[in-house]
Amino acid sequence: ACEGAAAGDACQAREQPVLEPVLPAPAEEQNGTDSAKAPKVNCEERNTTGIDRFTLQILNVSQDLMEFLNPNSSDCTLVLFYTPWCRFSASLAPHFNSLPRAFPTLRFLALDASQHSSLSTRFGTVAVPNILLFQGAKPMARFNHTDRTLETLKDFIFNQTGIEAKSDVAVTEEDWEGPLPSVLTKGIDWLLLFSVLFLASFVMYATVRTESIRWLIPGQEHEHQE
């Protein structure tokens, strides 16, 4: 379920994961814009020759993230864990959609955390949206800023990699349309529904079968004595 804005601007995941070591963005930095600091991740910039359109790639349920990350390479990929029912993911979508144009030498992927629960557990994505910077197949930094805009995302990437964003990139109407959806998708949480039905059935069964409950009902005590 989604928390309120005061609770961190994130939608909580449904599993308690076993965390892998992931280097967070330093607390004193808070994804700021201190250009005097040396980059923390030395990314190998990809060759963009022949690429006409720079866009985000969304993984479907049958695709594995590890197939898109080369463990023997030092290139960098920004991966977004999101869910289509989370309003914070939806508000982030147009800003994340515009990032590939701002950083054409980097790769950008997104995946539905509810469809890739094993990856969410592996990388400790307790809440969504969650953004990780990978070098090769190793997670190097996590975006911790609650203000998820194009500018804060650009600052985060620059602080971590030293790669400057293109200055002429802004969020457009096309970015609001896709590829990452900016409109919430309604769905049924079958696990939650089953849990509620099971709990209700158990309470009804206990109420009918437990003798102590009968003594709480007015008139039942006299009827028993007769």
Side-chain angles (χ1 to χ4, degrees), residues 34 56 76-77 84 88 90 164 199 226:
D34 188 356
L56 165 71
C76 291
T77 306
F88 303 114
E164 294 188 5
L199 181 60
E226 293 175 358

Side-chain angles (χ1 to χ4, degrees), residues 54-56 92-104 108 149-151 153-154 169-172 174-176 178-179:
F54 301 97
T55 185
L56 165 71
L92 167 65
H95 302 275
F96 202 85
N97 286 334
S98 63
L99 279 178
R101 301 195 310 275
F103 297 92
F108 296 87
T149 63
L150 176 59
E151 293 304 319
L153 290 168
K154 289 195 298 185
V169 174
V171 179
T172 64
E174 292 183 356
D175 294 326
W176 284 92

Side-chain angles (χ1 to χ4, degrees), residues 77-173:
T77 306
L78 202 68
V79 180
L80 167 65
F81 294 77
Y82 77 100
T83 53
W85 46 261
C86 175
R87 65 177 181 274
F88 303 114
S89 296
S91 62
L92 167 65
H95 302 275
F96 202 85
N97 286 334
S98 63
L99 279 178
R101 301 195 310 275
F103 297 92
T105 59
L106 301 179
R107 299 174 62 205
F108 296 87
L109 301 174
L111 56 91
D112 186 343
S114 62
Q115 296 180 350
H116 298 81
S117 57
S118 60
L119 290 175
S120 300
T121 301
R122 178 175 181 179
F123 297 116
T125 54
V126 179
V128 291
N130 206 309
I131 302 173
L132 294 179
L133 174 65
F134 285 81
Q135 184 177 39
K138 182 180 179 181
M140 303 298 294
R142 190 187 305 271
F143 181 83
N144 292 325
H145 209 296
T146 56
D147 182 20
R148 305 179 187 94
T149 63
L150 176 59
E151 293 304 319
T152 57
L153 290 168
K154 289 195 298 185
D155 290 341
F156 168 75
I157 295 174
F158 174 72
N159 289 330
Q160 296 296 326
T161 67
I163 301 175
E164 294 188 5
K166 290 184 175 296
S167 58
D168 58 344
V169 174
V171 179
T172 64
E173 292 184 3

Side-chain angles (χ1 to χ4, degrees), residues 39-84:
K40 302 169 181 60
V41 184
N42 186 17
C43 296
E44 177 183 347
E45 301 184 40
R46 67 171 178 169
N47 185 5
T48 59
T49 304
I51 302 178
D52 298 328
R53 189 165 183 259
F54 301 97
T55 185
L56 165 71
Q57 182 175 0
I58 300 180
L59 276 61
N60 59 40
V61 66
S62 63
Q63 293 176 312
D64 186 4
L65 174 63
M66 295 299 105
E67 297 178 0
F68 293 84
L69 302 176
N70 184 1
N72 300 319
S73 174
S74 59
D75 60 345
C76 291
T77 306
L78 202 68
V79 180
L80 167 65
F81 294 77
Y82 77 100
T83 53

